[in-house]
Amino acid sequence: MGTEWKRKVSLFDVSDDYEASLSALFTRLSRVSINGAAAAANPPPINPWSGRPYSARYLKLLEKRRELPVWRHKDEFLRALRDNRTLILVGETGCGKTTQIPQFVLDAEDLGNHSAVACTQPWRLAAVSVARRVAQEMDVAIGEEVGYSVRFKHLCSYKTVLKYLTDAMLLREAMADPLLEKYKVIILDEVHERTLATDVLFAHLKAVLKKRPDLKLVVMSAALEVEKFQGYFSGAPLMKVHGRLHPVDIFYTQEPERDYMEAAIRTAVQIHMCEPAGDILVFLTGEGEIEDACWKINMEINNFGDHVGPVEVVPLYSTLPLAMQLKVFEPGPPSLRGGPPRRKIVVSTNIAETSLTIDGIVYVIDPGFTKHKVYDPRIRVESLLNSPISKASAHQRAGRAGRTRPGKCFRLYTGKSFNEDLQQQTYPEIFRLNLAYTVLTLKKLGIDDLVHFDFMDHPAPETLMRALEVLNYLGTLDDEGNLTHLGEMMSEFPLDPQMSKMLVMSPKYNCSNEITTIAAMLSDLNHLVYVWHLYYFDCNITMCKQSARFLVSPNCFLRPREARKAAGEARSRFGHIDGDHLTLLNVCHWYKQNSKSSTYDYFINARALKYADKVRRQLVGIMTRLGLKVCSTDFNSRVYYVNIRKALVAGYFMQVAHREQNGHYLTVKDNQIVHLHPSNSMDHKPEWVFFDEFVLTTSNFIRTVTDVRGEWLIDIAPHYYDLSNFPLCEAKRALEKLYGKREREASVTRVRRLYLTPPAAP
C-alpha cells in the first residue's frame, strides 16, 4: 500500500509578527556586529571563565544564541528566578531552553566558592552532547568550567560551575550528599519523560528545599501537565516560552499503515529520491528494528545506482557505546555541485526525542510507536512491549525537524488516530518498572516511610511490596525494613541489586576478579544486540557497511548475514559446557591474551569488550574503596569454575528454573513454563539453571543461562528455598530429596562424632 500524505496546518508555522520581530532582531545584530576593522582597533573582551580573550567562534555562536526564542525571555526568566525558589518553565521544542537557561543562571547567580549549577537529562547522550555544545558557547574547554557526568563516564574538574548529568547520576550524588550542597541551582530538564529517577528527585528536592533556603529549583520541559506540576510544587509560578527558529510542516497518512517499519523505510527512500537536500531522522522502537532498517535502506538505495545520491545511514540507540552514539553529530556526506543530493539518515529510538540537536536534520519520519519495558510483579518478569507514543512525544519528534532550518515531519498514522488514540502524556516509569533499585536508593537516602513518601504519582502497592520482598531476600533490608550493612555496600554499585549482591559476595568464593568481568559484560551498557561491521566484497578495496547481528545477550559475538555459519563455528570455540556466563569469561580471557586485530577473524565485537573493560575497572575501584578483596582461585584448580558459579548463584538465586519430566523448564516459585534460548552454549539440559533474562516473545525464553547444582541453592539461600513457602511442583520434590540427603549426612556425621571420638583424658 502506497503512502499518501495530506497536509495539516503546521503547529509550528511562524506568524507574520514573529517574522517581523525576527527581522528587526537581525537588523539590530547587524548594527552591533564586529567587523574586521573594529576588531583590529579594539581588542576582543576577556572571557571571565577562562581569563583568555573570546574566540571568533564564540562571537559567531553568540549571534546564533541571540536568535533563539528563549533569548527574548532572558530578563523575564531572571526576574522570576530571583523572586521564586521554584520555577516551572515550559518551552517549545527548539526554543533553546536546554542550552541557554543554565547559562542565564550562571550570568545571574553569585555561585560563591565550590558552588555549581546542575542540569539533568534523561539520556546520557543528551547530557554529553549538550555539555559539549554549551562549552563551545561559553568558549571554555569541556571538562573544565562545563562538565558532564553519566554512568561510568565523568568529565568534570574542581573548576566546573555547570554540570550536565543524567537524572540517575544526580540521584546517586544525593545518596552521598543528601542535601546536594555543592549545587546552588538545580535544573530538571525534559521532565515529561517521567523517568523513575526524575520522579524520586521531585520528592527528594521538595524536601531539600525546606532544609536549604539558598537552593533554587527549575523544572523544564516542552510538554507538561501544568496544573498537576504546579499543584505538586506548591503553586510554583509558570513561565512559557513560545516560538521556534523554524517552522515544521506535519503530514499524516490517509489510511493506517499495516507495517510501520516497511512504511518508514519506504518513506525514507522516497524522501531521498524526491525531496531537496537535508538529512533524515527515522524513529523506530528498538535495536533490532533499527539495524534491520539501516541494512534495508542501504540496499534499497544502492539498487538505484547512480540515479540517486549516496547516503550514510547511522543507527542510534541507548545501548550503543557512547563513542558510537556521538557519530550522529558528525556531518553527512557533502553533495556534489549539480549532482543528486547526498544525505545522512539517522535511525533512532526515542533517545533522539529530547535535547538533541543533530545539525542538518530536515525530515522526520514518525511511525508513532515506541518500546517500553513493563514489569509484572506477580511473576517478576520484565518484558519489552511495543506501544503507541503520547502526543507529547509526537510533538517532541516533530520538533527535531525544525532545529536548524524549516523541516517536514511525516507521521505514519492518521490525523484521527493522533487526536483520538494517543494519550496526552507519556506513562510514568514508576507505574511500569521494577522498583527494587529505586527502593534501595530511597533507603540509602534515609527514606523509611515509603508508603507516605511524596511521590507525584504513587506506584502500585504490589510492585512496591515485591521490591521490598526481593531486597529482604537479598539481605539488603532486615525484617523491619532497615538497610543492613550488606545493603549499604550494595547501594554503592550503580547496578541491579542482584548483580551488586553477586559482586559483594564474590570475595567469599575467592573469584571477585572473574565476577567483576562477568558483571561488566552483563551491564546494561553492554546489552548490544547489533553492531556495524566492515566487510570486503569481491576483489575491490571498497569497504561496504553491512549490519551484523550478535548471537547472544549480553553480546560480544557478531553474526553477519553473509557469514552466519562461520560466525557460529567461531563462537563455538569460546563456548563453555556449563553455561553462557562462563562463555563470556572465556571471551574476555582470550581478548586479553590475543591481538585486538584478530577479533574480526573470530567475529568478536572489540568495541563491546573494550567498553566492558572500562566498566570493569570502575567496578574494581568501587570494590577496593569498600574494602572488598579482589582475588582469584588458581586457574588449574578443580573448583575454579565451581566457585564462579556459586558466586553467581549468590546474587541470582531467585532467577532459577528446574527441568520438568516433560523436558520444559519451570521457574522456581513463579511456576512459569520457559525454554532455554537457542543461543545458549550448553550441549545438555541440566536439572537446574539460573538465568539473566526472561524474554517474552512467541514463547517464553530464559537467556544467558548457566548450569547450577541443587545443593548449592539450599546452601547459599536456605531462607529462599524454605519448603514451607514453596508451591507444589517437581522442583519442590527435588529439593525435598536434597534436604533429606543433607539430613541423613548430618545424622551420619553426628553418629561418627559420638562413637568414634576418643574420650577425653581424665
Side-chain angles (χ1 to χ4, degrees):
M1 179 177 63
T3 303
E4 300 180 57
W5 305 100
K6 62 178 180 180
R7 175 72 162 87
K8 180 183 175 182
V9 177
S10 172
L11 297 179
F12 312 120
D13 283 340
V14 179
S15 66
D16 294 337
D17 291 341
Y18 178 65
E19 287 181 345
S21 64
L22 194 60
S23 176
L25 179 62
F26 278 123
T27 302
R28 291 197 301 273
L29 287 174
S30 64
R31 291 173 180 170
V32 300
S33 63
I34 302 176
N35 57 29
N42 301 308
I46 300 297
N47 185 339
W49 300 112
S50 65
R52 297 186 295 270
Y54 283 117
S55 66
R57 183 181 65 176
Y58 167 82
L59 300 175
K60 183 178 179 180
L61 290 175
L62 181 61
E63 290 191 8
K64 292 183 177 180
R65 292 175 61 196
R66 287 171 172 163
E67 297 171 6
L68 294 169
V70 73
W71 190 272
R72 301 197 301 270
H73 297 267
K74 180 177 181 179
D75 293 338
E76 178 189 354
F77 168 77
L78 293 178
R79 284 194 300 270
L81 185 65
R82 182 190 61 212
D83 299 337
N84 301 277
R85 297 185 58 210
T86 304
L87 177 63
I88 298 173
L89 189 148
V90 178
E92 288 187 26
T93 302
C95 71
K97 61 186 181 300
T98 300
T99 55
Q100 303 310 306
I101 291 297
Q103 294 185 71
F104 294 168
V105 173
L106 288 179
D107 292 342
E109 289 291 327
D110 181 14
L111 297 179
N113 294 328
H114 309 297
S115 293
V117 176
C119 183
T120 67
Q121 297 294 321
W123 304 104
R124 61 192 176 119
L125 176 60
V128 173
S129 62
V130 173
R132 292 184 174 185
R133 172 69 182 190
V134 171
Q136 292 176 352
E137 293 184 355
M138 291 176 59
D139 209 18
V140 296
I142 185 68
E144 296 291 327
E145 288 75 14
V146 179
Y148 62 82
S149 178
V150 299
R151 191 184 186 207
F152 296 126
K153 189 172 180 64
H154 312 274
L155 192 59
C156 300
S157 70
Y158 70 94
K159 296 181 181 179
T160 301
V161 293
L162 173 56
K163 182 194 290 188
Y164 284 89
L165 68 173
T166 59
D167 44 16
M169 288 306 301
L170 183 61
L171 195 56
R172 288 203 63 80
E173 289 189 12
M175 292 167 65
D177 176 18
L179 295 180
L180 295 168
E181 292 183 306
K182 64 180 175 182
Y183 299 116
K184 192 168 184 180
V185 179
I186 294 176
I187 303 169
L188 302 181
D189 195 11
E190 307 293 0
V191 296
H192 72 279
E193 291 284 335
R194 296 296 303 275
T195 65
L196 261 177
T198 295
D199 270 22
V200 175
L201 284 172
F202 284 160
H204 182 66
L205 290 174
K206 278 185 67 176
V208 172
L209 284 168
K210 297 176 182 178
K211 300 177 181 179
R212 281 191 56 196
D214 62 320
L215 179 66
K216 294 190 176 183
L217 174 66
V218 180
V219 179
M220 299 198 307
S221 183
L224 280 183
E225 298 173 274
V226 173
E227 296 79 8
K228 182 175 184 176
F229 273 76
Q230 283 188 298
Y232 181 76
F233 286 105
S234 306
L238 172 68
M239 177 180 168
K240 292 187 177 182
V241 178
H242 296 285
R244 59 173 54 250
L245 279 180
H246 306 286
V248 177
D249 294 334
I250 298 179
F251 300 89
Y252 295 94
T253 57
Q254 294 282 10
E255 299 292 336
E257 292 290 344
R258 294 180 180 177
D259 187 333
Y260 67 82
M261 182 176 167
E262 290 299 326
I265 295 170
R266 184 174 64 247
T267 304
V269 174
Q270 289 175 354
I271 291 172
H272 182 56
M273 294 177 62
C274 305
E275 292 287 342
D279 294 338
I280 304 170
L281 173 60
V282 183
F283 285 98
L284 290 175
T285 65
E287 296 96 327
E289 287 184 356
I290 287 172
E291 292 293 348
D292 197 27
C294 288
W295 183 79
K296 288 181 178 179
I297 290 172
N298 267 322
M299 294 298 292
E300 289 272 353
I301 292 176
N302 288 339
N303 288 339
F304 288 102
D306 297 334
H307 298 291
V308 297
V311 297
E312 180 182 358
V313 187
V314 184
L316 177 61
Y317 40 89
S318 61
T319 51
L320 271 176
L322 188 58
M324 295 182 69
Q325 290 184 11
L326 293 172
K327 287 186 176 182
V328 301
F329 300 107
E330 297 176 0
S335 297
L336 299 177
R337 181 176 297 179
R342 301 184 176 193
R343 303 179 198 271
K344 178 173 66 178
I345 301 178
V346 179
V347 188
S348 174
T349 60
N350 59 345
I351 187 177
E353 279 184 18
T354 56
S355 300
L356 290 182
T357 299
I358 304 175
D359 290 338
I361 295 294
V362 178
Y363 308 100
V364 168
I365 301 172
D366 174 17
F369 286 92
T370 188
K371 197 180 288 288
H372 281 148
K373 185 180 290 186
V374 180
Y375 177 68
D376 186 341
R378 289 183 175 85
I379 59 175
R380 292 178 301 160
V381 170
E382 280 186 329
S383 53
L384 282 172
L385 302 176
N386 279 4
S387 58
I389 62 173
S390 64
K391 290 181 180 178
S393 291
H395 285 301
Q396 289 283 82
R397 292 183 176 190
R400 300 305 102 189
R403 288 302 186 97
T404 55
R405 53 182 281 194
K408 296 180 180 180
C409 176
F410 298 89
R411 290 176 173 167
L412 304 182
Y413 44 92
T414 64
K416 180 180 179 182
S417 179
F418 174 82
N419 293 319
E420 299 180 2
D421 298 337
L422 301 189
Q423 61 182 9
Q424 197 67 35
Q425 296 290 333
T426 302
Y427 205 55
E429 285 187 352
I430 201 167
F431 291 145
R432 52 183 175 83
L433 292 188
N434 185 354
L435 299 181
Y437 180 79
T438 302
V439 170
L440 176 58
T441 301
L442 291 172
K443 290 293 183 179
K444 180 68 173 178
L445 288 171
I447 309 299
D448 293 322
D449 189 0
L450 299 178
V451 175
H452 297 97
F453 186 63
D454 192 13
F455 287 113
M456 179 175 284
D457 292 293
H458 285 270
E462 187 176 9
T463 306
L464 193 59
M465 291 304 297
R466 177 62 85 174
L468 289 168
E469 180 188 45
V470 167
L471 293 175
N472 180 250
Y473 276 130
L474 288 172
T476 310
L477 304 178
D478 60 23
D479 291 338
E480 279 70 45
N482 299 316
L483 196 63
T484 63
H485 177 64
L486 174 62
E488 291 273 359
M489 289 194 290
M490 288 168 57
S491 68
E492 294 296 319
F493 293 92
L495 302 169
D496 177 85
Q498 291 171 282
M499 191 179 294
S500 299
K501 173 72 177 291
M502 176 183 73
L503 286 165
V504 173
M505 298 301 296
S506 60
K508 176 182 176 181
Y509 299 97
N510 203 32
C511 59
S512 51
N513 258 318
E514 290 76 12
I515 291 298
T516 51
T517 299
I518 294 173
M521 297 291 288
L522 291 172
S523 169
D524 287 343
L525 294 180
N526 294 295
H527 276 164
L528 307 179
V529 185
Y530 295 84
V531 73
W532 285 106
H533 196 35
L534 297 177
Y535 286 94
Y536 290 92
F537 288 97
D538 302 325
C539 298
N540 298 325
I541 307 300
T542 305
M543 285 188 294
C544 301
K545 288 183 177 178
Q546 294 291 326
S547 61
R549 186 171 183 176
F550 286 162
L551 192 59
V552 297
S553 177
N555 297 296
C556 53
F557 297 104
L558 300 171
R559 191 169 182 253
R561 297 170 184 267
E562 298 77 18
R564 292 189 178 185
K565 184 178 179 181
E569 292 173 354
R571 178 187 179 278
S572 64
R573 300 181 185 183
F574 301 99
H576 194 286
I577 192 173
D578 287 327
D580 298 324
H581 297 82
L582 304 182
T583 297
L584 295 174
L585 188 62
N586 285 347
V587 173
C588 290
H589 286 165
W590 176 88
Y591 179 73
K592 288 288 188 181
Q593 297 168 6
N594 290 272
S595 169
K596 306 303 183 287
S597 60
S598 60
T599 54
Y600 291 115
D601 299 331
Y602 288 90
F603 298 90
I604 297 296
N605 178 18
R607 280 197 183 96
L609 290 173
K610 183 178 180 181
Y611 197 86
D613 190 53
K614 293 180 180 178
V615 173
R616 183 188 182 280
R617 287 199 296 269
Q618 297 220 19
L619 294 178
V620 169
I622 296 173
M623 294 185 71
T624 303
R625 178 162 52 84
L626 294 175
L628 296 172
K629 184 180 179 182
V630 180
C631 52
S632 294
T633 302
D634 181 16
F635 183 75
N636 295 317
S637 171
R638 294 175 58 187
V639 296
Y640 176 78
Y641 287 111
V642 169
N643 286 348
I644 295 171
R645 289 154 65 196
K646 286 183 177 180
L648 290 166
V649 171
Y652 288 92
F653 57 81
M654 286 180 282
Q655 294 182 194
V656 172
H658 179 261
R659 189 189 72 238
E660 305 294 287
Q661 290 183 355
N662 59 11
H664 298 321
Y665 280 87
L666 204 66
T667 58
V668 168
K669 287 196 175 183
D670 300 316
N671 285 351
Q672 296 295 304
I673 298 175
V674 294
H675 307 274
L676 299 181
H677 196 273
S679 65
N680 83 86
S681 60
M682 297 184 295
D683 61 356
H684 64 294
K685 295 182 70 173
E687 182 181 8
W688 300 90
V689 296
F690 87 89
F691 55 91
D692 182 58
E693 287 183 284
F694 189 127
V695 183
L696 291 176
T697 55
T698 53
S699 298
N700 295 344
F701 287 106
I702 49 176
R703 188 162 59 182
T704 315
V705 295
T706 291
D707 181 5
V708 297
R709 297 176 189 169
E711 51 266 32
W712 297 349
L713 301 176
I714 60 178
D715 288 340
I716 294 172
H719 58 295
Y720 187 76
Y721 289 91
D722 180 3
L723 295 182
S724 63
N725 297 322
F726 232 80
L728 186 62
C729 59
E730 291 184 28
K732 182 175 183 178
R733 289 189 285 272
L735 290 170
E736 287 173 342
K737 292 179 181 178
L738 290 173
Y739 275 114
K741 179 181 178 182
R742 188 60 53 85
E743 181 61 31
R744 289 192 297 273
E745 291 174 350
S747 298
V748 170
T749 301
R750 287 195 298 270
V751 170
R752 286 178 176 175
R753 287 177 179 173
L754 180 63
Y755 291 102
L756 299 181
T757 302

